[in-house]
Amino acid sequence: MSDTTVNGENRNMPSPATVEVVRHAFISGAEQMRRNLYRSAHSPVIYEMKDCSVGIFDAEGHLLGQAPGLPFFLGSLGGTIRAVIGINGYEVFREGDVWIVNDSTIAGSHLNDVTVYAPIFVDGLLRGFTAAKAHWNDIGAKDAGFAGDTTDIFQEGLRIGPTCIFRDGRLDQQIVDLIALNSRFPTALVGDLMAEISACRTGVERFRSIVHRFGWDQVEKSIHAVFEQAEAEDRRSVAEIPDGVYVEDAYLDNDGVTEDPVHVKVTVTVEGDSMTVDLTGSNKQNVGSVNSGIVQTRSGIEQGFKFLVNPHSPVSGGNFRNLEVIAPEGTCFNPSETAACLKYGPHLMLALDLMIKALSRVVPERAAAGHVGDSWNVIIVGEDEFGLFLSGEALTGGWGAFEGGDGESALIHSAAGDFKNFPIETMEHRYPLIMRRHSLREGSGGDGKWRGGMGIVREYEILAPVTIQLWFERAVQQPSWGLFGGQDGASPEVWVHRPGEEPEKMYKANDLKVEPGTRLVVKTGGGGGWGDPAERAPEDRATDRRLELVP
């Protein structure tokens, strides 16, 4: 249908009101997907901790609507769909299909993060996709849950390429059985898979209802209008940053297998209304699992871009068009297809933080001091009268202060976004342990004109023989840095108190066997401070002392 213009007005273009209704209808549809995923998931890592994300996309894999979730996942969902299209083309998709993939080369993150996606057909034509990504507790790795000492992808579990599990609306039970056979928790796996399928089907229904309400012509033009608006806002925001080349680098403690520090270098180039983030000079592919597929790498850098550029507007397929990401092949940001990728996050989180630090010198009002530097995982595996159990957590810490305010305390890393604490009641009900303490870590935030946020203290008492896996990064090499005279935040600490023995300090552990009565005391890191501590307002100093926020 051709557009018609009358008195200078295009009568066939959607009104601004229609564009906004369509925009928010897709966002609302994604929110319904998310709620259905939470309600129907089997595992508390999904329904309690929210280790998942969902989205609705156009036929090219560009985002139309998302709900709060893990930002690292949200950016990689569209990238995964585009990668799958690049592999299979469009001809393989049929109405009623549901597909699944977790291969790190395609989806970017570790194999436990499983993406389920479904094509959307309207009146016989492919118009879009829905997708859900969620963490499964066990996908058949060499150790229960996942192990921090893997050296190739084959040790990390069942590797699934793009696989159709619903063809023409009919479930291929053999594929489901094959996947379940490779997990130590097959019932939970199938339950979580079906929850993701339910979420995707919800998105398909919502997409169709939007098209049936407005008609495809108006929906398509509204989508284009949203994309053009997002791109224009991004370009205006980048154009306000002074042109230049801004470089920062830092190190992770190690890759979990060797003792060598992991170097991360970020070069941000701003030229006009475009930005390039170049990761050249960063570590080569690591022996351990601190590697990320290129889809996940782009997702992480896009998140850093969004923090700095046009942060208050919703994300859509029109964003990031003026961002180029360079990640040389063979590095930890773009490794070989057999690289271990279990710990795909630490170097990306550091790169994201370094982007902000690099630009803080020219746009300080957009930046914050260093904050939570890792997911800080505590995984407890054992057996009780009901069989094998696994408790897996990612812990919170302190965020960096910013110009005008203190950093927030006890928040998950920004990469995890909507991730929640594992409720103590749930843990003590499901697993043989007692949580003796859960509190803020006093004095852990970096001092400054504005103080960094505080980490937490979490003390577990183990009531049965178990195996513990620990991953606490940026404990030795790089704390959460202060900016403009602010002090660094405290580094994380982990203490293992075995009955009758001296406490042992450690940061990473795999297959750590402990007996009943062992106490695990975890102290997460704090955020960096901003500005000279001598300039902190006297009333804020008094509040800090009254609430015992500082030593």
Side-chain angles (χ1 to χ4, degrees), residues 344-362:
Y344 68 91
H347 59 305
L348 272 176
M349 296 179 199
L350 182 54
L352 185 158
D353 291 345
L354 289 172
M355 286 178 62
I356 297 171
K357 186 178 182 182
L359 289 176
S360 66
R361 67 195 69 161
V362 290

Side-chain angles (χ1 to χ4, degrees), residues 510-534:
N510 201 66
D511 199 30
L512 177 67
K513 293 179 172 57
V514 301
E515 297 301 317
T518 299
R519 290 183 299 115
L520 183 68
V521 180
V522 172
K523 301 178 181 181
T524 67
W530 178 291
D532 186 349

Side-chain angles (χ1 to χ4, degrees), residues 10 35 43 60 70 90 103-104 113 171 191 199 206 417 425 460:
N10 193 327
R35 291 179 181 273
S43 301
E60 296 179 343
L70 273 69
Y90 289 100
D103 186 1
S104 300
D113 296 335
L171 177 66
R206 296 305 305 139
E425 296 83 357
Y460 311 73

Side-chain angles (χ1 to χ4, degrees), residues 135-342:
H135 180 96
W136 293 3
N137 271 336
D138 189 88
I139 195 71
K142 71 183 187 67
D143 296 320
F146 53 83
D149 61 351
T150 55
T151 56
D152 62 49
I153 195 73
F154 305 109
Q155 298 174 344
E156 298 185 349
L158 183 64
R159 189 177 174 196
I160 307 169
T163 303
C164 185
I165 58 174
F166 268 86
R167 174 59 83 184
D168 299 323
R170 300 188 60 168
L171 177 66
D172 190 328
Q173 188 63 49
Q174 286 186 320
I175 295 177
V176 176
D177 291 345
L178 175 62
I179 297 171
L181 188 65
N182 282 274
S183 175
R184 298 169 177 86
F185 303 100
T187 301
L189 181 150
V190 173
D192 294 338
L193 169 60
M194 294 304 166
E196 289 190 71
I197 292 171
S198 173
C200 287
R201 285 179 165 168
T202 299
V204 171
E205 293 173 2
R206 296 305 305 139
F207 189 107
R208 287 173 175 166
S209 70
I210 295 168
V211 175
H212 290 158
R213 176 181 176 185
F214 294 99
W216 176 246
D217 180 69
Q218 292 288 288
V219 170
E220 184 178 36
K221 290 174 179 176
S222 295
I223 291 170
H224 289 161
V226 170
F227 286 2
E228 289 172 1
Q229 180 187 53
E231 180 180 2
E233 290 175 345
D234 277 3
R235 291 190 181 279
R236 281 196 298 270
S237 185
V238 171
E240 294 171 356
I241 302 173
D243 284 3
V245 179
Y246 309 99
V247 183
E248 287 288 345
D249 72 329
Y251 290 84
L252 298 174
D253 298 343
N254 56 58
D255 65 4
V257 174
T258 73
E259 293 300 320
D260 299 329
V262 176
H263 186 217
V264 175
K265 182 179 180 181
V266 176
T267 302
V268 181
T269 302
V270 178
E271 186 174 1
D273 62 1
S274 297
M275 180 184 294
T276 300
V277 177
D278 189 351
L279 299 168
T280 301
S282 297
N283 239 63
K284 297 296 184 183
Q285 175 178 317
N286 286 302
V287 175
S289 62
V290 181
N291 301 294
S292 55
I294 188 62
V295 165
Q296 187 61 59
T297 293
R298 288 198 183 103
S299 176
I301 299 304
E302 286 174 358
Q303 182 182 338
F305 178 88
K306 188 62 175 172
F307 282 161
L308 293 159
V309 175
N310 186 27
H312 302 296
S313 298
V315 179
S316 76
N319 293 112
F320 314 121
R321 291 177 174 178
N322 59 331
L323 170 67
E324 181 183 4
V325 179
I326 299 173
E329 292 185 3
T331 65
C332 59
F333 292 103
N334 190 6
S336 72
E337 64 177 16
T338 60
C341 291
L342 196 71

